[in-house]
Amino acid sequence: MDLFAYLIPYGLEWLNLIVRWLHVITGIAWIGASFYFVWLDNSIRPPAPGSDLAKKGVSGELWAVHGGGFYNPQKYLVAPAELPKDLHWFKWEAYTTWLSGFALLTIAYYFNAQAMMIDKDVADIGSWQAVGLGLGSLLVGWTVYDLLCRSPLGKHDFWFGVVVFALIVAAGFGLTHWLSGRAAYIHVGAMIGTIMVANVLMLIIPGQRKMVEAMAAGGLPDPVHGQRAKQRSVHNNYFTLPVLFIMISNHYAMTYRNDRAWLVLAFIMAAGVSIRHFFNLRHKGRTEWRYPMFGVALLLAVAVAIAPPRPAAVAVADPAAAFAKVQAVVAQRCASCHSAHPSQPGFATAPAGVMFDGAEQIRQQSEKIYKQAVQLKAMPIGNLTNMTDAERAAIGAWFEAGAK
């Protein structure tokens, strides 16, 4: 039974690794294709009036050199005169990214919701309630976004963007008041990712199929399908940098472990959108430095606002006694996960390879312990082991006195 109990979390850890690797690979493929086609759309130039290309219905073309060869991509205003025999579809990159991401969300969060999603200092809820909130945010997020796209507001790009951004921030606000900061962030990212892939699955690909079917039947495709697909593709492009930040945010507790984590996320997402807008304009030949400057200013403002206070130098009457107390706290509250042989259910190996099995290991990791347990209160994760404020204060005093 003990061996079986050990192999389950160990197997899940390997599954986590493989699925995470797949998610990164397919995400690179999807985001790379998205960035390329937005760049291509913004970089192509219309052919000369009356030229052969213009007569063929080409709306723009581009010459490029890469990998030792010359390329000449062309975009048709509606469609070419004949349906090409070989037509490549860009869809599986998006589908596989979402499927692997949802699998990863299930493995890392839903299978261990008590540790990864619940923070009783935020809300004392059960595992199924936490999972339900997470899944509900994905469904509600796509539904509201899609309805807004189909409403009259969808015809006004700027105000549509403002409203959608506000709704995403509102979702972040709500989730950070029910889930742990880490889980709230990842579900905001999953909600945006769901919107992105649903755009591909529910609108972009079906629209392209209708265009191909019209050509195959000898008719002329309705340009509205291309216009709608283009709109959703541009939305996905602006969503990309916020999603990428959220994918890596779990490594930076300073962003999600504070009283206004939702506002921190809002500022960082706004910075990402502003920086992305700069590149989109630059592809069109416009260089607007105010946008990256605004993005960097937002990031600097966040960095200053959430900076931890500088520890004050304190004197400890008996350093040995202070360390003995800290060592006892770490053994009771931290070592169940951070050990060569974790006893906490759901953990087969020490997170990030950080172990506190001996006095020397605790001293070597003193800065990390201080930052995570005292400054950020991010550890123990979800405060599973019920570390008290007095125990955090004891660690803080020991570190500020020199961690001896």
Side-chain angles (χ1 to χ4, degrees), residues 122 133-145 148 162-193 195 239 246 260-263 265-266 269:
V122 175
L133 282 169
L135 292 173
S137 67
L138 309 188
L139 179 61
V140 172
W142 158 250
T143 302
V144 173
Y145 162 83
L148 286 174
V162 170
V163 171
V164 169
F165 181 79
L167 289 173
I168 292 173
V169 172
F173 176 83
L175 288 170
T176 55
H177 284 75
W178 284 100
L179 305 178
S180 69
R182 180 173 176 170
Y185 270 37
I186 210 69
H187 277 87
V188 172
M191 181 183 71
I192 299 173
I195 291 172
F239 284 142
I246 292 171
R260 292 180 176 82
W262 62 275
L263 191 56
L265 180 59
M269 288 193 299

Side-chain angles (χ1 to χ4, degrees), residues 7-334:
L7 288 177
I8 289 178
Y10 182 66
L12 285 175
E13 194 156 329
W14 265 101
L15 187 60
N16 186 320
L17 169 62
I18 298 301
V19 174
R20 190 178 299 269
W21 193 8
L22 174 64
H23 186 55
V24 170
I25 292 169
T26 54
I28 290 171
W30 183 18
I31 292 168
S34 171
F35 278 9
Y36 172 74
F37 277 104
V38 169
W39 169 83
L40 184 60
D41 268 349
N42 290 332
S43 300
I44 57 175
R45 299 295 179 260
S51 65
D52 290 340
L53 288 179
K55 292 175 181 177
K56 288 168 56 179
V58 172
S59 63
E61 69 166 342
L62 173 78
W63 281 94
V65 60
H66 181 75
F70 291 90
Y71 295 81
N72 181 213
Q74 299 173 349
K75 180 177 181 178
Y76 285 79
L77 187 61
V78 178
E82 296 181 2
L83 184 66
K85 182 179 179 181
D86 295 318
L87 189 62
H88 184 80
W89 295 73
F90 289 85
K91 56 182 180 178
W92 289 109
E93 299 90 341
Y95 299 163
T96 311
T97 298
W98 189 88
L99 289 170
S100 59
F102 187 77
L104 188 59
L105 187 65
T106 302
I107 296 164
Y109 286 85
Y110 297 161
F111 281 177
N112 198 12
Q114 193 65 35
M116 301 300 293
M117 298 186 69
I118 297 170
D119 184 341
K120 294 192 181 296
D121 291 335
V122 175
D124 190 1
I125 60 177
S127 295
W128 284 110
Q129 290 172 301
V131 173
L133 282 169
L135 292 173
S137 67
L138 309 188
L139 179 61
V140 172
W142 158 250
T143 302
V144 173
Y145 162 83
D146 187 54
L147 290 174
L148 286 174
C149 281
R150 297 174 188 273
S151 74
L153 182 65
K155 299 177 182 178
H156 305 279
D157 292 340
F158 176 78
W159 290 112
F160 174 84
V162 170
V163 171
V164 169
F165 181 79
L167 289 173
I168 292 173
V169 172
F173 176 83
L175 288 170
T176 55
H177 284 75
W178 284 100
L179 305 178
S180 69
R182 180 173 176 170
Y185 270 37
I186 210 69
H187 277 87
V188 172
M191 181 183 71
I192 299 173
T194 299
I195 291 172
M196 293 171 69
V197 78
N199 276 338
V200 177
L201 176 66
M202 307 295 288
L203 194 128
I204 296 174
I205 294 299
Q208 290 175 173
R209 288 191 187 282
K210 290 177 182 178
M211 296 176 72
V212 170
E213 289 168 0
M215 290 191 65
L220 188 66
D222 187 341
V224 71
H225 299 303
Q227 293 165 4
R228 289 172 180 168
K230 172 66 176 175
Q231 181 193 42
R232 300 295 181 105
S233 180
V234 170
H235 292 174
N236 282 2
N237 178 258
Y238 281 102
F239 284 142
T240 302
L241 293 190
V243 168
L244 286 175
F245 162 73
I246 292 171
M247 285 175 66
I248 64 173
S249 67
N250 63 94
H251 296 289
Y252 303 96
M254 60 187 178
T255 60
Y256 60 77
R257 285 296 303 185
N258 60 77
D259 294 336
R260 292 180 176 82
W262 62 275
L263 191 56
V264 171
L265 180 59
F267 272 64
I268 294 175
M269 288 193 299
V273 169
S274 185
I275 292 168
R276 186 65 232 163
H277 189 56
F278 164 78
F279 283 103
N280 288 343
L281 291 177
R282 191 172 176 84
H283 299 332
K284 293 180 179 179
R286 292 171 52 192
T287 302
E288 301 268 0
W289 288 108
R290 55 180 171 157
Y291 292 109
M293 290 174 64
F294 177 69
V296 170
L298 286 178
L299 295 176
L300 287 174
V302 169
V304 171
I306 67 174
R310 186 174 180 178
V314 297
V316 175
D318 187 349
F323 177 70
K325 185 174 183 179
V326 168
Q327 188 173 18
V329 170
V330 171
Q332 182 180 6
R333 308 298 189 191
C334 309

